[in-house]
Amino acid sequence: MSPNFLVCWEKFARYFEVELKEVKLTEGYYVMDPVKAVEMVDENTICVAAILGSTLNGEFEDVKLLNDLLVEKNKQTGWDTPIHVDAASGGFIAPFLYPELEWDFRLPLVKSINVSGHKYGLVYAGIGWCIWRSKEDLPDELIFHINYLGADQPTFTLNFSKGSSQVIAQYYQLIRLGFEGYKNVMENCRENAMVLKEGLEKTGRFNIVSKDKGVPLVAFSLKDSSIHTEFEISDILRRFGWIVPAYTMPPDAQHITVLRVVIREDFSRTLAERLINDIKKVLHELDTLPSRVTAKLTGSEEMTSENNGKTVKKTTIEVQREITAAWKKILLDKKTNGVC
């Protein structure tokens, strides 16, 4: 989201309540369940938000299913609950890679969409926008009317006066590249993401937790993190010039840690192959080192520890959470990690 969008989010939220989403963990993916989300809708729900391109693994949420379920619920209840689509990343990807995917104003309940031009719009940071299906869908209370030099100047943001360089840059990119140009860029990003994914799979050491259909990124985790963790890989990769964030998944899946590589237009196939080779070097280095946090579990699903003289059994998930917490503390103390 652009700074403009963020600065008026508090006011925006009074009209478009982001519904707390029910989620489920399936096959390693953390996604919204549209069925359970719609079940949570009541007479006080102003809007249901869907994400087209999750920050965690790049996944597209099923806006079409959400729309169809809400249409039926609105018919039954007489409500008119709409949908807002957070397409900060996916808004510049889906139209070019997946034109058949229905997520936008083709769906009757989608009333507003926000997009970030500074991500896959190929413009430097600071440009983004929110658009509405019609003027009637944007409450007038959200608009600031400014009497400027004798004329009424309506604005949706709190920053009335600001530089226009990002808008000009976005306009230039749109007319320079056009639909075919953006399509070529996004197809190339997807192909390079597949090169990276296949290279990681060939090592036999990682599970891929991102999907092929979504934002061109690769999110992956170690198959065996009982000795060394994703945080160690992220830390050592910095010596090779790579900043690859490692982070835990949201609540109820915090024991899962992933690394994430976002593929942009300047991430070439050569860079993808170089990153694969550097990850192999990191794995080889870690294999020669003893565990810095815990010893490897040897054929048992439980570990024990002493607590006030009593033996406490721990499951592998509990151990993994302790490992994750320990490495997060180490890296946060060094101020060398984070999701960007």
Side-chain angles (χ1 to χ4, degrees), residues 29 97-98 190 193-194 197 201 208 210-217:
Y29 308 114
L97 293 184
Y98 316 107
R190 179 173 59 182
M194 294 304 296
K197 174 191 171 185
E201 288 176 329
I208 306 298
S210 52
K211 287 187 175 180
D212 294 341
K213 189 172 184 177
V215 177
L217 65 80

mmCIF file of all heavy atoms in Angstrom, residues 29 97-98 190 193-194 197 201 208 210-217:
data_model
loop_
_atom_site.group_PDB
_atom_site.id
_atom_site.type_symbol
_atom_site.label_atom_id
_atom_site.label_comp_id
_atom_site.label_asym_id
_atom_site.label_seq_id
_atom_site.Cartn_x
_atom_site.Cartn_y
_atom_site.Cartn_z
ATOM 1 N N TYR A 29 0.026 -24.692 3.152
ATOM 2 C CA TYR A 29 -0.363 -23.355 2.750
ATOM 3 C C TYR A 29 -1.281 -22.735 3.800
ATOM 4 O O TYR A 29 -2.125 -23.396 4.368
ATOM 5 C CB TYR A 29 -1.070 -23.392 1.395
ATOM 6 C CG TYR A 29 -0.298 -24.116 0.342
ATOM 7 C CD1 TYR A 29 -0.780 -25.296 -0.202
ATOM 8 C CD2 TYR A 29 0.922 -23.635 -0.098
ATOM 9 C CE1 TYR A 29 -0.070 -25.981 -1.162
ATOM 10 C CE2 TYR A 29 1.635 -24.316 -1.056
ATOM 11 C CZ TYR A 29 1.136 -25.489 -1.595
ATOM 12 O OH TYR A 29 1.856 -26.160 -2.537
ATOM 13 N N LEU A 97 -0.873 -12.599 -16.258
ATOM 14 C CA LEU A 97 -0.557 -14.030 -16.205
ATOM 15 C C LEU A 97 -1.806 -14.897 -16.154
ATOM 16 O O LEU A 97 -1.802 -16.019 -16.664
ATOM 17 C CB LEU A 97 0.325 -14.337 -14.987
ATOM 18 C CG LEU A 97 1.734 -13.751 -14.989
ATOM 19 C CD1 LEU A 97 2.502 -14.229 -13.756
ATOM 20 C CD2 LEU A 97 2.494 -14.128 -16.259
ATOM 21 N N TYR A 98 -2.864 -14.403 -15.521
ATOM 22 C CA TYR A 98 -4.074 -15.209 -15.332
ATOM 23 C C TYR A 98 -5.308 -14.389 -15.708
ATOM 24 O O TYR A 98 -6.146 -14.069 -14.840
ATOM 25 C CB TYR A 98 -4.163 -15.693 -13.887
ATOM 26 C CG TYR A 98 -2.854 -16.214 -13.344
ATOM 27 C CD1 TYR A 98 -2.110 -15.484 -12.410
ATOM 28 C CD2 TYR A 98 -2.333 -17.428 -13.789
ATOM 29 C CE1 TYR A 98 -0.905 -15.958 -11.929
ATOM 30 C CE2 TYR A 98 -1.119 -17.907 -13.314
ATOM 31 C CZ TYR A 98 -0.405 -17.163 -12.385
ATOM 32 O OH TYR A 98 0.790 -17.629 -11.923
ATOM 33 N N ARG A 190 7.756 -15.182 -13.718
ATOM 34 C CA ARG A 190 7.227 -16.512 -13.383
ATOM 35 C C ARG A 190 8.205 -17.613 -13.793
ATOM 36 O O ARG A 190 8.443 -18.571 -13.043
ATOM 37 C CB ARG A 190 5.884 -16.727 -14.063
ATOM 38 C CG ARG A 190 5.268 -18.098 -13.790
ATOM 39 C CD ARG A 190 3.862 -18.202 -14.345
ATOM 40 N NE ARG A 190 3.830 -17.971 -15.790
ATOM 41 C CZ ARG A 190 2.705 -17.968 -16.508
ATOM 42 N NH1 ARG A 190 1.534 -18.144 -15.919
ATOM 43 N NH2 ARG A 190 2.749 -17.760 -17.807
ATOM 44 N N ALA A 193 11.058 -17.713 -11.401
ATOM 45 C CA ALA A 193 10.620 -18.305 -10.131
ATOM 46 C C ALA A 193 10.609 -19.825 -10.233
ATOM 47 O O ALA A 193 10.982 -20.527 -9.274
ATOM 48 C CB ALA A 193 9.235 -17.783 -9.765
ATOM 49 N N MET A 194 10.190 -20.363 -11.373
ATOM 50 C CA MET A 194 10.173 -21.811 -11.572
ATOM 51 C C MET A 194 11.583 -22.382 -11.593
ATOM 52 O O MET A 194 11.838 -23.474 -11.097
ATOM 53 C CB MET A 194 9.433 -22.153 -12.860
ATOM 54 C CG MET A 194 7.951 -21.817 -12.840
ATOM 55 S SD MET A 194 7.067 -22.608 -11.462
ATOM 56 C CE MET A 194 7.271 -24.333 -11.902
ATOM 57 N N LYS A 197 12.617 -22.501 -7.992
ATOM 58 C CA LYS A 197 11.875 -23.564 -7.305
ATOM 59 C C LYS A 197 12.445 -24.937 -7.649
ATOM 60 O O LYS A 197 12.700 -25.771 -6.759
ATOM 61 C CB LYS A 197 10.402 -23.496 -7.690
ATOM 62 C CG LYS A 197 9.576 -24.660 -7.147
ATOM 63 C CD LYS A 197 8.190 -24.699 -7.763
ATOM 64 C CE LYS A 197 7.466 -25.986 -7.381
ATOM 65 N NZ LYS A 197 6.171 -26.120 -8.057
ATOM 66 N N GLU A 201 14.242 -27.729 -5.187
ATOM 67 C CA GLU A 201 13.697 -29.079 -5.058
ATOM 68 C C GLU A 201 14.769 -30.128 -5.337
ATOM 69 O O GLU A 201 14.793 -31.190 -4.698
ATOM 70 C CB GLU A 201 12.512 -29.260 -5.999
ATOM 71 C CG GLU A 201 11.262 -28.511 -5.566
ATOM 72 C CD GLU A 201 10.124 -28.626 -6.556
ATOM 73 O OE1 GLU A 201 10.406 -28.751 -7.774
ATOM 74 O OE2 GLU A 201 8.954 -28.598 -6.128
ATOM 75 N N ILE A 208 8.595 -26.793 -0.673
ATOM 76 C CA ILE A 208 8.122 -25.544 -1.260
ATOM 77 C C ILE A 208 6.733 -25.250 -0.702
ATOM 78 O O ILE A 208 5.825 -26.063 -0.835
ATOM 79 C CB ILE A 208 8.071 -25.625 -2.795
ATOM 80 C CG1 ILE A 208 9.434 -26.052 -3.355
ATOM 81 C CG2 ILE A 208 7.637 -24.293 -3.377
ATOM 82 C CD1 ILE A 208 10.564 -25.097 -3.057
ATOM 83 N N SER A 210 5.044 -22.269 -1.329
ATOM 84 C CA SER A 210 4.330 -21.327 -2.186
ATOM 85 C C SER A 210 3.730 -22.099 -3.354
ATOM 86 O O SER A 210 4.176 -23.197 -3.680
ATOM 87 C CB SER A 210 5.272 -20.235 -2.713
ATOM 88 O OG SER A 210 6.425 -20.804 -3.317
ATOM 89 N N LYS A 211 2.723 -21.509 -3.989
ATOM 90 C CA LYS A 211 2.069 -22.152 -5.118
ATOM 91 C C LYS A 211 2.566 -21.558 -6.431
ATOM 92 O O LYS A 211 3.037 -20.425 -6.484
ATOM 93 C CB LYS A 211 0.551 -21.988 -5.019
ATOM 94 C CG LYS A 211 -0.079 -22.848 -3.938
ATOM 95 C CD LYS A 211 -1.597 -22.774 -4.006
ATOM 96 C CE LYS A 211 -2.243 -23.735 -3.014
ATOM 97 N NZ LYS A 211 -3.726 -23.681 -3.067
ATOM 98 N N ASP A 212 2.434 -22.350 -7.488
ATOM 99 C CA ASP A 212 2.869 -21.875 -8.806
ATOM 100 C C ASP A 212 1.992 -20.730 -9.296
ATOM 101 O O ASP A 212 2.460 -19.835 -10.002
ATOM 102 C CB ASP A 212 2.830 -23.016 -9.828
ATOM 103 C CG ASP A 212 3.852 -24.107 -9.519
ATOM 104 O OD1 ASP A 212 4.804 -23.815 -8.767
ATOM 105 O OD2 ASP A 212 3.691 -25.233 -10.019
ATOM 106 N N LYS A 213 0.713 -20.732 -8.937
ATOM 107 C CA LYS A 213 -0.208 -19.696 -9.366
ATOM 108 C C LYS A 213 -0.336 -18.660 -8.261
ATOM 109 O O LYS A 213 -0.938 -18.908 -7.222
ATOM 110 C CB LYS A 213 -1.589 -20.297 -9.686
ATOM 111 C CG LYS A 213 -2.549 -19.321 -10.343
ATOM 112 C CD LYS A 213 -3.806 -20.039 -10.813
ATOM 113 C CE LYS A 213 -4.744 -19.114 -11.563
ATOM 114 N NZ LYS A 213 -5.943 -19.814 -12.080
ATOM 115 N N GLY A 214 0.232 -17.504 -8.486
ATOM 116 C CA GLY A 214 0.232 -16.450 -7.492
ATOM 117 C C GLY A 214 1.315 -15.448 -7.812
ATOM 118 O O GLY A 214 1.752 -15.322 -8.952
ATOM 119 N N VAL A 215 1.754 -14.713 -6.799
ATOM 120 C CA VAL A 215 2.858 -13.775 -6.976
ATOM 121 C C VAL A 215 4.120 -14.574 -7.325
ATOM 122 O O VAL A 215 4.356 -15.637 -6.737
ATOM 123 C CB VAL A 215 3.078 -12.965 -5.690
ATOM 124 C CG1 VAL A 215 4.276 -12.035 -5.829
ATOM 125 C CG2 VAL A 215 1.827 -12.157 -5.359
ATOM 126 N N PRO A 216 4.940 -14.104 -8.270
ATOM 127 C CA PRO A 216 6.175 -14.828 -8.604
ATOM 128 C C PRO A 216 7.183 -14.776 -7.456
ATOM 129 O O PRO A 216 8.059 -13.916 -7.406
ATOM 130 C CB PRO A 216 6.707 -14.081 -9.841
ATOM 131 C CG PRO A 216 5.565 -13.310 -10.365
ATOM 132 C CD PRO A 216 4.728 -12.961 -9.167
ATOM 133 N N LEU A 217 7.015 -15.651 -6.528
ATOM 134 C CA LEU A 217 7.952 -15.770 -5.421
ATOM 135 C C LEU A 217 8.086 -17.239 -5.046
ATOM 136 O O LEU A 217 7.247 -18.057 -5.407
ATOM 137 C CB LEU A 217 7.520 -14.924 -4.215
ATOM 138 C CG LEU A 217 6.223 -15.248 -3.464
ATOM 139 C CD1 LEU A 217 6.384 -16.412 -2.495
ATOM 140 C CD2 LEU A 217 5.752 -14.022 -2.709
#
